[in-house]
Amino acid sequence: MDRWLCAFLLGYALSFFFSAGADVWLYLPGAGLALCCFLLSYFQHIRTHLIGCVLCGILWGTGNAYFVQRTLISDQWTQTTMTTVMQVTSVSHHHPGLWRITGVLTKLDEQSLLSRPIARLQWYQAHAQAPQRLPRQGETWQFSVRLRHPQGTRNEGGMRYHRYLLGQGVNALGSIRSGQYLSGAVSWRQNLVSAVEAALGKVELKGPLLALLVGERYQMSDADWTLVQRTGLAHLIAISGLHLSLVAGFALALTWHAFGLLVRRRSRRDQLNLWAYTPWLALVLAMAYAALSGFAITTLRAALMLGVVVLHKQLGWRVSAPRILLRAVVVVILVEPLAPLTTGFWLSVMAVAAIVFMNWRWQRYQGRWSRFREWWRFEWLITILFWPLMALWFGGVSLAAALINILVVPLVSFWVLPVGLLGVMAAGLGALAAAEQLFVLAAWPLQQLWPQLGWLAEQPWQWLSAADLPAWPWLLSFTLILLLPIRWLQRGVAVAVLVMCQLVYEAIPERRQLFLHVLDVGQGSALVLQRQQQALLIDTGASWDGSVAMAERVIMPFLESKRLRPELAFITHTDRDHQGGYTALQQRFPAVRWLGGASTTPCVAGQSGSWREVQWQVLHPTQESGIGNQSNNSSCVVLLQFDNVRILITGDIEKTAERQLLARLAPVSAEILVVPHHGSKSSSEDYFIRHVQPSLALVSRGRNNPYGQAHPEVVARYAGHRITMLDTARGGQITLWTDGRRWQAWQPLAQHFGSWFDVDPHDPSAR
């Protein structure tokens, strides 16, 4: 049986490398071929059943990919504001000036939808637009909404947001213009979460407690997130396998003792076989706890794996732990076909695999402190095992995570969680005063530890940034050497060889080359020049009220992933989509020299210099046309030259500034042109393009932006001059390489590896 499951998983894994999901006319012959393999194996005893299982895995993966792509919204839906009817299916989140609502779209412009896509909508300044209450789970609302495809920014080092949305089953994003309540009653979970939130109103650490007890994390502040990530406690701020196991364990003990009180004679308990029922009752209570999170994906995954374990134990199947893990993974994939697109899936599987590995690798301790010693061994094992993943996905590793967990997890397990759940029960029954007192009691140990944990999170020796660590392949190799069952002498030799190889690799002189990265920051601009592990920045992306600045979401993670440290930076002008991340980057890199925008040094024509053999020259604005870069036409225009390759950065200049540049005979000729004003119709006049004579035009803009950029006339104008155009809205980040004579440009995350889940629905060429 397990070989069948392994073959199925192999085929399922192969389906993620396909460029598209199987269409119906391919799916049916594939299913027929798999059936033939099983029939040949059964009747003719030809060993083709494993091939059939591989085909079943491929069909399961590609079939789900097909249905996911069928539920994506049409391009026509993104062109204008539409009226839609939504059934709210998740607890709505609220932030200052922002409401976030998730639900199923049932109608669009009075037409019923058969596909029923799931949409995640944002309502900015909702109170000012409509003085109504927040839409709540279980209700049906009518919204005037502008939809967009479920795509986020695509950059190296950044979060693959489009994969996250697919893993969450979200088929559309959008922003609400107005809305009104239609019908429906508020769900029990929305009422419970509202009651818990009301009872937590005056309790410190409201955000972490709300996340821990009911699985809602919208009250977590940025400081709280930074603390739990940098101390290795992020797994506690979710209803996950640890919490479900604890609840199941408590329920098992309480149920068995309750049976003992009801049936006092042991022989009678054995005769009734009560032990056979207690695990199922414990599992039911664990599922009830999972329902508190609305069966979120992480919780459902943990519940399924727990159910597989209980089933094996109850049926008396003598199966090794790795085989139980294999079967649990298959069950999760059958229920959640897109689970591998989420990081939580891999973290959950690896955590269980670490327990299995520990029991195989080392013998169990004996003696008085055996349980504590085994727990301590597991904590440092899981910490070391997760180092490569933490460095790759979260930008650093916590050295004290094992020690912190061994102190905090018992407090959460045996104090915070039980007392907090009593508070949730009290809040659900309407006893808010009692619930508040229970929440205060539950939060007390965390309140005592939180300042110390905050201090630890800020210590540079405790949190090592990925930029200060070896690259993740080296870190993975080091981790494997530590965990392999070899002698310490052999392990020391292997580590020494690994360190020597890394030193030799780093000693290899870098080629004479320059990289230009046009980052995908939505509707805005952010460019990074990379040379000799240093960086020159031009613009810093947008920063809007109620959201994290693009500098923190995109630019900083990109710099860390490339291990770059900026030395010089330009801000073309003071619009928020170009200057939004200035403050954050200035604080993060205080030694950077800034020119233009809100910096103390204006960007004015005549300035020039050299940065690591890259010559830069400011061509605009002049003293007369505007110092301070306050408007589009006073944008800082910079010409970069690396040997024979010239790159022209134009900011948001319009026709007036283009004419001024040509009237002054500015040296605008360049091989690479960053298209002015994101491709706006107000820029890129024909005569300006003819004078620049670029071979490549780069556009930085947002998908489905409300300004109609890049304008079709502008796109046609560049095409008329036979100029290749690359667009961040179609494929994400743009990277250009040059050695000073030749150059090459590509988009590293445009349908990466040709996989179906990275296809950009906004790009017609990717269909």
Side-chain angles (χ1 to χ4, degrees):
M1 174 182 177
D2 293 323
R3 286 184 299 173
W4 292 42
L5 297 181
C6 289
F8 173 82
L9 288 179
L10 174 61
Y12 176 75
L14 290 175
S15 71
F16 280 82
F17 293 93
F18 293 175
S19 59
D23 209 341
V24 174
W25 67 275
L26 289 176
Y27 194 88
L28 293 178
L33 183 59
L35 180 61
C36 290
C37 290
F38 292 131
L39 292 176
L40 286 173
S41 176
Y42 184 78
F43 290 107
Q44 300 297 326
H45 302 290
I46 301 175
R47 296 185 177 181
T48 55
H49 58 283
L50 294 182
I51 298 176
C53 290
V54 172
L55 290 173
C56 287
I58 292 174
L59 293 173
W60 181 249
T62 55
N64 280 282
Y66 171 77
F67 286 110
V68 166
Q69 292 173 335
R70 292 279 293 179
T71 55
L72 292 176
I73 62 175
S74 169
D75 284 339
Q76 298 177 351
W77 298 1
T78 65
Q79 304 300 321
T80 183
T81 301
M82 308 184 78
T83 301
T84 184
V85 175
M86 169 184 275
Q87 293 178 353
V88 183
T89 57
S90 298
V91 172
S92 301
H93 299 175
H94 54 88
H95 301 279
L98 170 66
W99 290 352
R100 183 171 296 142
I101 302 120
T102 302
V104 177
L105 301 182
T106 59
K107 288 185 178 181
L108 198 64
D109 281 350
E110 303 301 327
Q111 294 183 356
S112 297
L113 300 176
L114 297 178
S115 60
R116 297 295 180 96
I118 298 176
R120 179 174 293 177
L121 307 179
Q122 305 208 102
W123 198 347
Y124 295 96
Q125 303 298 330
H127 293 288
Q129 297 176 21
Q132 303 183 60
R133 57 176 175 78
L134 177 74
R136 293 179 289 184
Q137 184 181 28
E139 297 178 338
T140 300
W141 280 63
Q142 178 177 289
F143 295 118
S144 176
V145 62
R146 189 181 183 96
L147 298 174
R148 62 182 187 273
H149 291 293
Q151 296 293 317
T153 57
R154 299 186 181 196
N155 300 278
E156 294 175 292
M159 178 184 180
R160 305 291 193 267
Y161 189 56
H162 60 288
R163 296 186 187 180
Y164 167 79
L165 292 174
L166 281 179
Q168 298 291 321
V170 177
N171 310 118
L173 301 176
S175 55
I176 298 172
R177 301 294 189 266
S178 62
Q180 62 178 1
Y181 168 78
L182 294 181
S183 62
V186 181
S187 69
W188 68 268
R189 185 168 181 270
Q190 177 78 71
N191 285 326
L192 179 62
V193 171
S194 299
V196 171
E197 189 174 3
L200 284 169
K202 298 181 180 179
V203 179
E204 293 185 33
L205 302 179
K206 177 179 180 179
L209 280 176
L210 192 67
L212 173 65
L213 297 174
V214 295
E216 294 296 335
R217 293 175 281 185
Y218 57 87
Q219 290 285 357
M220 292 278 292
S221 65
D222 292 339
D224 290 336
W225 276 117
T226 301
L227 186 148
V228 297
Q229 288 176 354
R230 294 195 171 189
T231 54
L233 296 175
H235 63 98
L236 292 179
I237 311 300
I239 299 179
S240 60
L242 171 65
H243 306 85
L244 287 180
S245 300
L246 288 170
V247 170
F250 287 139
L252 189 66
L254 291 174
T255 305
W256 181 246
H257 285 295
F259 281 152
L261 293 175
L262 294 175
V263 184
R264 294 185 175 275
R265 294 176 57 188
R266 181 182 180 88
S267 60
R268 182 60 176 166
R269 290 200 301 268
D270 294 340
Q271 182 181 1
L272 295 175
N273 196 19
L274 295 180
W275 180 250
Y277 302 106
T278 51
W280 295 111
L281 292 174
L283 182 60
V284 169
L285 291 177
M287 290 294 184
Y289 179 50
L292 286 178
S293 68
F295 286 108
I297 287 179
T298 54
T299 310
L300 179 60
R301 184 185 309 128
L304 290 172
M305 298 180 78
L306 181 62
V308 171
V309 174
V310 171
L311 180 65
H312 278 73
K313 296 298 183 183
Q314 287 301 100
L315 295 180
W317 292 345
R318 295 184 178 274
V319 179
S320 64
R323 294 171 65 187
I324 295 177
L325 175 60
L326 171 66
R327 297 175 183 184
V329 169
V330 171
V331 170
V332 169
I333 287 174
L334 291 176
V335 177
E336 299 178 38
L338 302 181
L341 293 179
T342 62
T343 58
F345 170 81
W346 298 103
L347 295 176
S348 299
V349 172
M350 287 193 63
V352 179
I355 299 175
V356 175
F357 172 81
M358 183 179 69
N359 291 330
W360 167 79
R361 174 70 175 81
W362 294 288
Q363 294 182 352
R364 303 197 67 173
Y365 288 117
Q366 302 295 328
R368 187 174 182 180
W369 296 93
S370 58
R371 295 292 180 87
F372 177 80
R373 293 168 67 188
E374 287 182 358
W375 185 16
W376 170 244
R377 182 168 63 184
F378 170 73
E379 288 295 346
W380 68 255
L381 170 65
I382 202 78
T383 299
I384 295 176
L385 191 63
F386 278 13
W387 274 359
L389 293 179
M390 297 295 291
L392 180 63
W393 288 338
F394 302 108
V397 299
S398 171
L399 293 182
L403 180 60
I404 294 172
N405 273 273
I406 209 168
L407 294 175
V408 175
V409 168
L411 287 175
V412 172
S413 303
F414 300 106
W415 186 325
V416 179
L417 186 59
V419 178
L421 288 178
L422 291 176
V424 171
M425 294 175 60
L429 295 173
L432 296 184
E436 181 179 352
Q437 295 304 315
L438 287 169
F439 289 146
V440 170
L441 181 61
W444 183 83
L446 289 181
Q447 292 172 3
Q448 309 310 308
L449 286 175
W450 215 250
Q452 287 73 29
L453 293 175
W455 176 82
L456 273 175
E458 296 174 355
Q459 299 308 304
W461 58 265
Q462 193 281 136
W463 173 259
L464 296 182
S465 172
D468 301 323
L469 293 168
W472 74 265
W474 298 103
L475 199 58
L476 178 60
S477 301
F478 175 75
T479 302
L480 293 177
I481 290 173
L482 288 182
L483 299 179
L484 283 175
I486 57 178
R487 297 179 179 178
W488 281 105
L489 178 60
Q490 296 171 326
R491 188 177 289 116
V493 172
V495 170
V497 171
L498 182 66
V499 172
M500 186 177 300
C501 291
Q502 184 182 2
L503 293 176
V504 171
Y505 175 79
E506 293 178 350
I508 298 175
E510 183 182 336
R511 296 172 55 191
R512 180 177 172 79
Q513 59 186 354
L514 172 71
F515 289 92
L516 169 65
H517 306 282
V518 181
L519 302 184
D520 179 11
V521 291
Q523 187 62 20
S525 175
L527 289 77
V528 178
L529 270 76
Q530 171 188 345
R531 177 156 166 75
Q532 298 173 345
Q533 294 304 304
Q534 305 297 325
L536 183 153
L537 308 181
I538 300 178
D539 286 336
T540 62
S543 175
W544 308 108
D545 295 335
S547 62
V548 179
M550 281 295 175
E552 299 174 77
R553 287 177 51 191
V554 173
I555 302 176
M556 291 182 188
F558 176 83
L559 294 174
E560 291 175 356
S561 70
K562 295 290 185 180
R563 300 170 181 273
L564 302 177
R565 184 162 295 276
E567 297 179 315
L568 178 65
F570 293 86
I571 298 176
T572 57
H573 67 301
T574 56
D575 282 3
R576 295 181 69 175
D577 60 334
H578 291 250
Q579 186 179 264
Y582 166 66
T583 302
L585 287 168
Q586 187 184 42
Q587 293 174 352
R588 177 67 177 83
F589 304 105
V592 174
R593 176 192 174 196
W594 291 85
L595 286 84
S599 68
T600 56
T601 305
C603 187
V604 185
Q607 295 171 321
S608 62
S610 176
W611 173 79
R612 297 192 173 270
E613 301 181 280
V614 178
Q615 307 301 318
W616 60 269
Q617 179 182 0
V618 178
L619 306 181
H620 186 80
T622 61
Q623 298 281 349
E624 295 78 15
S625 58
I627 300 177
N629 317 114
Q630 298 292 326
S631 63
N632 288 342
N633 277 320
S634 63
S635 293
C636 178
V637 177
V638 184
L639 178 67
L640 306 170
Q641 183 166 352
F642 184 60
D643 292 345
N644 297 327
V645 176
R646 293 157 61 94
I647 305 170
L648 185 64
I649 316 294
T650 56
D652 276 0
I653 62 170
E654 299 175 344
K655 296 176 182 178
T656 301
E658 291 177 352
R659 294 171 183 174
Q660 291 175 354
L661 280 167
L662 299 181
R664 296 197 308 271
L665 301 179
V668 295
S669 176
E671 286 74 24
I672 314 298
L673 171 66
V674 177
V675 174
H677 203 182
H678 318 288
S680 171
K681 187 180 179 181
S682 63
S683 306
S684 297
E685 286 195 316
D686 187 76
Y687 60 84
F688 179 75
I689 298 174
R690 288 202 309 269
H691 279 79
V692 178
Q693 295 181 324
S695 299
L696 176 67
L698 309 178
V699 182
S700 175
R701 67 181 179 98
R703 297 174 178 84
N704 305 309
N705 65 81
Y707 311 106
Q709 301 165 345
H711 196 277
E713 292 182 11
V714 173
V715 175
R717 203 172 296 152
Y718 282 96
H721 287 276
R722 298 183 179 181
I723 298 170
T724 302
M725 178 176 285
L726 293 180
D727 186 349
T728 60
R730 296 185 175 181
Q733 169 192 327
I734 303 169
T735 294
L736 181 138
W737 166 89
T738 177
D739 61 0
R741 293 172 295 153
R742 301 163 297 167
W743 57 267
Q744 181 182 5
W746 66 94
Q747 292 182 275
L749 297 177
Q751 200 171 342
H752 196 39
F753 294 127
S755 302
W756 63 266
F757 50 83
D758 276 328
V759 173
D760 189 344
H762 187 70
D763 187 357
S765 65
R767 296 177 187 272

